[in-house]
Amino acid sequence: MSLRSPFGRVKGLGAAHEGVHHWWAQRLSALALIPLTVWFVVSLVSLSGADYATVRAWMGSPVVAGLLILLIVTVFYHAALGLQVVIEDYVHTEATKIAALLAVKAAAAVLALSGVLAVLDVLFGA
Amino acid sequence: MVARSRPLSPHLQIYRPQLTSVLSITHRLSGVALTLGTLLLVYWLVAVAAGPQAYEAATGFIGSWFGRLLLFGWSLALFYHLCNGIRHLFWDMGIGLDLPSVYRSGYAVLAGSVALTLASWIAGYGVMGGN
Ligand code: HEM
C-alpha cells in the first residue's frame, strides 16, 4: 500500500515538490560542462603569460566569445543547482534555508550577468 | 531537545574513512571550491573588458605566489570534479556500480586528476618559456 495520496502520485513530484527536473538539469549542465571546461583550460594554458592585446583579441573573436558565454551561463546554472543541494542537506531551519537559497540564486545571476556583459563588451567594444 | 545531541547516522565520528566516502565528500568540497573560483573567473573577464591597467592588476595578483597557489588549487579541484563527475554520470547510466568497479574507477579518478593538473601546469610553464 502506498502512503501517497492519489493526487500526489498523479503529479509525481515527490517530497521535494519538483520531481526529477532538478536532477536532470544538474546532469545535462554537467554534460555540457565537460567539453566547455576542457576547452577553457586548454585555452588558458595556451594563453599563459600572454600580453593584454593577445588576450583581448582572443576574447573578442566571435567563436571564443560565444563559447565563453556558454561556459559562464552553464557554470553558474550548474553551480547554483549544486549549492542548492548542499544547502538543503545542511540547513534545516526553513527561514534560513530559503534565505540562503535566494542568496545563492541572486549571487549566481549577478555574477553570470557580469561575466556575460564583460565578454559582450570586449566583443562589440572598440 | 535532548534527542538532538545524539550522533546522527552514519556516525561520522566513529566511521572509518574509506576511499568511497572520502572521494564522495571531495566531490562536494571541490564543487563548492569551484563555485568560489568563479569569482576569480568573473574578475578576470571583467578586467579584460575594463582595459590594460585593470588587466595588469589582475594578472599581477594571479601571477603572485598566492595567486598561483589559488590557481593551482582551482585546477586540481576542476580536474578532480570533472573526472569524478564523469564517474557520476556513468553511475547514473547504471554502469560501474559493483564494488570492485567503484574502487577501480575511484583510483582512476585520483590518478587522472593529478596527472591532468600536472600536465596542464607543465604545459603552461612550457608556453611561457619557464616563467
Ligand atoms: C567550474 C565548474 C563547476 C562548478 C562550479 C561545479 C559545481 C558543483 C557543485 C557545487 C555541485 C554540488 C555538489 C554536491 O551536491 O555535493 C556539483 C555537483 C555535480 N557536478 Fe559540478 N561543477 C562544475 C563542473 C562540473 C563538470 C565539468 C562536471 C562534469 C561531469 C560536473 C559534474 C557534476 C555532477 C555529476 C554533480 C552531481 C553529483 C551528485 O549527484 O552528488 N561538474 N557541481
Side-chain angles (χ1 to χ4, degrees), chain B residues 7-96:
Chain B
L8 298 166
S9 167
H11 305 286
L12 287 177
Q13 300 89 331
I14 58 165
Y15 217 79
R16 183 170 60 84
Q18 304 164 49
L19 183 72
T20 43
S21 61
V22 172
L23 294 189
S24 168
I25 192 61
T26 307
H27 191 75
R28 173 157 287 190
L29 291 176
S30 61
V32 174
L34 286 172
T35 307
L36 294 176
T38 60
L39 293 173
L40 197 61
L41 169 68
V42 171
Y43 171 51
W44 184 72
L45 294 169
V46 170
V48 175
Q53 287 93 348
Y55 187 73
E56 286 299 316
T59 46
F61 171 65
I62 295 168
S64 69
W65 70 265
F66 183 63
R68 282 184 204 208
L69 188 65
L70 282 183
L71 201 60
F72 186 81
W74 179 82
S75 61
L76 187 58
L78 179 66
F79 281 126
Y80 177 79
H81 193 91
L82 173 67
C83 293
N84 200 52
I86 293 172
R87 186 168 171 243
H88 261 284
L89 295 177
F90 275 105
W91 286 339
D92 293 337
M93 295 184 286
I95 299 170

Side-chain angles (χ1 to χ4, degrees), chain A residues 33-104:
Chain A
L33 279 173
I34 298 174
L36 288 170
T37 52
V38 169
W39 163 78
F40 184 63
V41 170
V42 170
S43 306
L44 281 189
V45 165
S46 61
L47 285 171
S48 300
D51 61 10
Y52 179 68
T54 312
V55 173
R56 196 178 168 101
W58 171 77
M59 220 167 119
S61 89
V63 173
V64 170
L67 287 173
L68 279 176
I69 289 172
L70 271 181
L71 173 72
I72 295 163
V73 171
T74 317
V75 158
F76 281 107
Y77 184 57
H78 177 88
L81 289 171
L83 286 189
Q84 178 186 342
V85 178
V86 177
I87 290 167
E88 285 168 350
D89 278 356
Y90 302 135
V91 182
H92 300 305
T93 321
E94 200 63 16
T96 321
K97 183 167 84 184
I98 291 173
L101 290 174
L102 284 176
V104 161

